[in-house]
Amino acid sequence: MSTRSRSTPVFEGWNLVPLAGIPIVGLPFVGRFNNISHTWRDSAGILGGVLGTDSGQLFHAADVYMAAERAAAVPKK
């Protein structure tokens, strides 16, 4: 796995300043944005784990699907 920082953008403290003039509208947006950001981070972590540990199985499954697709494309007599 890479040692790069895994961060997603979130609104916290100092970066809420642009929304200071519209707190009624801004706060629900901030909550939704942060939820989406955390979901994206979690999903990326799960997919990264799958690719890191089960990539051989994924390639095998892809081969099986490709073989099934080829078999279905063969014209029947």
Side-chain angles (χ1 to χ4, degrees):
M1 287 264 150
S2 172
T3 58
R4 290 185 299 161
S5 172
R6 291 188 187 158
S7 62
T8 54
V10 292
F11 283 109
E12 295 176 336
W14 65 269
N15 57 6
L16 288 173
V17 172
L19 301 174
I22 50 169
I24 301 298
V25 174
L27 290 179
F29 167 76
V30 167
R32 286 183 187 165
F33 181 84
N34 287 346
N35 284 339
I36 291 168
S37 180
H38 293 303
T39 301
W40 181 265
R41 180 198 62 211
D42 295 343
S43 299
I46 291 167
L47 290 173
V50 167
L51 289 175
T53 58
D54 297 327
S55 60
Q57 292 178 353
L58 291 173
F59 282 114
H60 177 69
D63 290 340
V64 169
Y65 280 111
M66 290 298 294
E69 186 174 323
R70 285 188 203 113
V74 173
K76 296 180 181 179
K77 295 181 181 182

